[in-house]
Amino acid sequence: MTQEELLEQIYKKDGRAFTLLYDMYSKSLYGIIFNILRDKEESEDVLQEVFVKIWKNIDSYNTTKGRFFTWILNIARNSSIDRLRSKGHNNSLKNLSADNFVHILDNNHTAASKIDAIGIRDFVRKLKPKCIRLIDLLFFKGYTQQEASEELELPLGTIKTQNRSCIKDLRTLLQV
């Protein structure tokens, strides 16, 4: 089934299309979500929420404004960042024992292998070091531009300018 045929079926709210949609995109979206949240259970919860949002809001997708994958990727990224910034998430972090942190550190190398399901990190690595650091903070770790400004100890305007420049360089590499 082509993506256009899949979208037609999703617009018609065909349950089989939902299953196919999940099968096609769940691994890629999970990689993005997990990279931001760094927690398996929360990432799985957010992944479910993302597919519900996609299903309920499919009518807001506009093919002239971008690709379908970009649209669902943004839903996943934004949902992950919302969860990361939520009060409940912040409170749960305060209640974690030291054992959980050791477990996270021990499994960090396996998590890193799952993070980049769509392969974008390989392209990012070809950029200038300042772009790699900035894109890592803004897109892979979910920092706001203000937070990246504080982390890198650079003015907010500089971060915004560098972000635009780095995204332009990335687009050139991707030939988009």
Side-chain angles (χ1 to χ4, degrees), residues 112-164:
S113 66
K114 295 178 187 174
I115 288 170
D116 193 26
I118 62 171
I120 196 78
R121 233 189 242 279
D122 291 336
F123 288 101
V124 172
R125 286 187 187 120
K126 295 177 183 177
L127 297 172
K128 299 173 197 162
K130 71 176 183 177
C131 288
I132 293 170
R133 178 78 173 128
L134 186 60
I135 288 175
D136 184 56
L137 290 175
L138 293 175
F139 295 96
F140 292 112
K141 293 185 178 168
Y143 281 46
T144 63
Q145 289 182 341
Q146 180 63 45
E147 292 167 338
S149 169
E150 292 165 7
E151 176 75 19
L152 298 174
E153 298 176 352
L154 293 170
L156 181 59
T158 302
I159 294 295
K160 290 180 178 186
T161 301
Q162 285 182 356
N163 183 30
R164 279 191 300 273

Side-chain angles (χ1 to χ4, degrees), residues 13-14 26 30 32 34 42 52 62 80-81 85 89 91 95 111 117 120 134 137 143 145 149 159 175:
K13 302 295 185 193
D14 182 345
S26 62
Y30 179 81
I32 297 300
F34 184 84
E42 273 203 84
V52 170
N62 185 343
S80 302
I81 292 170
R85 293 182 181 154
H89 177 77
N91 287 340
N95 296 328
I120 196 78
L134 186 60
L137 290 175
Y143 281 46
Q145 289 182 341
S149 169
I159 294 295
Q175 299 175 350

Side-chain angles (χ1 to χ4, degrees), residues 7-82:
L7 284 172
E8 279 181 38
Q9 296 305 312
I10 294 171
Y11 285 124
K12 294 177 184 175
K13 302 295 185 193
D14 182 345
R16 291 173 296 182
F18 183 83
T19 302
L20 188 56
L21 174 74
Y22 186 86
D23 291 343
M24 288 174 69
Y25 296 109
S26 62
K27 288 181 183 177
S28 297
L29 296 180
Y30 179 81
I32 297 300
I33 294 166
F34 184 84
N35 188 44
I36 294 170
L37 296 177
R38 304 273 189 214
D39 180 89
K40 184 178 185 260
E41 289 179 18
E42 273 203 84
S43 297
E44 290 170 352
D45 287 346
V46 170
L47 182 65
Q48 287 180 356
E49 292 171 13
V50 166
F51 276 98
V52 170
K53 285 180 185 178
I54 292 167
W55 190 253
K56 286 184 176 179
N57 299 313
I58 191 66
D59 293 330
S60 68
Y61 170 64
N62 185 343
T63 57
T64 62
K65 291 187 177 181
R67 290 188 242 161
F68 179 68
F69 183 75
T70 304
W71 184 71
I72 65 174
L73 183 106
N74 282 327
I75 292 172
R77 183 178 171 274
N78 292 340
S79 297
S80 302
I81 292 170
D82 289 347

Side-chain angles (χ1 to χ4, degrees), residues 39 42 86-101 104:
D39 180 89
E42 273 203 84
S86 73
K87 190 180 250 185
H89 177 77
N90 290 330
N91 287 340
S92 71
L93 289 178
K94 292 176 187 174
N95 296 328
L96 290 176
S97 71
D99 293 338
N100 288 336
F101 292 108
I104 290 169

